[in-house]
Amino acid sequence: MNYAKAVIIKAKQENAFLAVSQEVDKWWGKVDNAVSKIGDEFSIIFGETEWRFRITEYSKYEKISWKCIKANHYHNGSDFIKEEWLNTEIYWNFRLVDLATEISFLHKGLKPELICYEICESGWDFFITTSLKNYLETGLGKPHFE
């Protein structure tokens, strides 16, 4: 079983897609690049932690997929989780529902048997259902910056 989450957000589908492709720093954390096509790459940095992603699917306003091509997950000095995200894939799908947008999220490879699963599950829960949702509905996300 992979980590999955869906949330309905009172926002236009286009705005939700742009938040995930162009405005990750407004709801998740520090990034080095916005993306706009297949093959683009970006890193997200949490203090000493860095994950680098390559865009593998890009269908404007409908879906975007990221593949983790570099993982340096630092948590409490543990080397055991350092590369657990390496080669995992993240799928975002956007669908209009009434006057809102449903965002479906799947982190393929993030499974309960991984050491980082509980930390990552609670992180994704917060960043998707609270920070991203707040950003799209109020303009104020809660990204992580160190």
Side-chain angles (χ1 to χ4, degrees):
M1 180 171 86
N2 297 292
Y3 174 84
K5 183 66 69 178
V7 63
I8 296 190
I9 297 176
K10 295 175 189 161
K12 292 181 180 179
Q13 186 172 336
E14 296 85 8
N15 293 346
F17 182 87
L18 289 173
V20 171
S21 62
Q22 303 286 314
E23 302 165 342
V24 175
D25 62 322
K26 306 290 187 201
W27 59 269
W28 193 17
K30 180 181 175 186
V31 296
D32 66 351
N33 194 24
V35 299
S36 60
K37 65 185 182 310
I38 292 173
D40 282 355
E41 295 181 4
F42 75 98
S43 285
I44 182 138
I45 299 151
F46 281 26
E48 294 181 50
T49 294
E50 176 188 2
W51 294 293
R52 185 146 190 91
F53 297 98
R54 179 175 296 125
I55 304 309
T56 57
E57 189 173 27
Y58 189 97
S59 182
K60 199 168 189 180
Y61 307 138
E62 295 178 13
K63 59 186 167 181
I64 187 169
S65 301
W66 309 343
K67 180 171 184 166
C68 185
I69 58 172
K70 176 183 178 185
N72 183 29
H73 188 170
Y74 180 84
H75 184 74
N76 294 333
S78 174
D79 279 340
F80 297 108
I81 66 172
K82 185 175 183 174
E83 292 188 342
E84 283 193 322
W85 279 28
L86 189 61
N87 296 314
T88 64
E89 297 171 286
I90 296 174
Y91 300 94
W92 300 88
N93 288 286
F94 306 85
R95 181 174 71 94
L96 185 63
V97 177
D98 296 322
L99 298 175
T101 299
E102 178 184 61
I103 299 175
S104 298
F105 174 91
L106 172 67
H107 190 157
K108 186 178 178 187
L110 182 58
K111 299 180 178 197
E113 56 266 21
L114 296 181
I115 296 167
C116 79
Y117 186 81
E118 286 182 19
I119 300 160
C120 295
E121 176 187 42
S122 64
W124 277 131
D125 284 349
F126 171 77
F127 288 112
I128 294 168
T129 65
T130 301
S131 187
L132 178 59
K133 183 174 173 50
N134 287 351
Y135 174 63
L136 286 165
E137 292 181 348
T138 71
L140 295 173
K142 298 179 180 185
H144 176 81
F145 290 109
E146 287 189 89

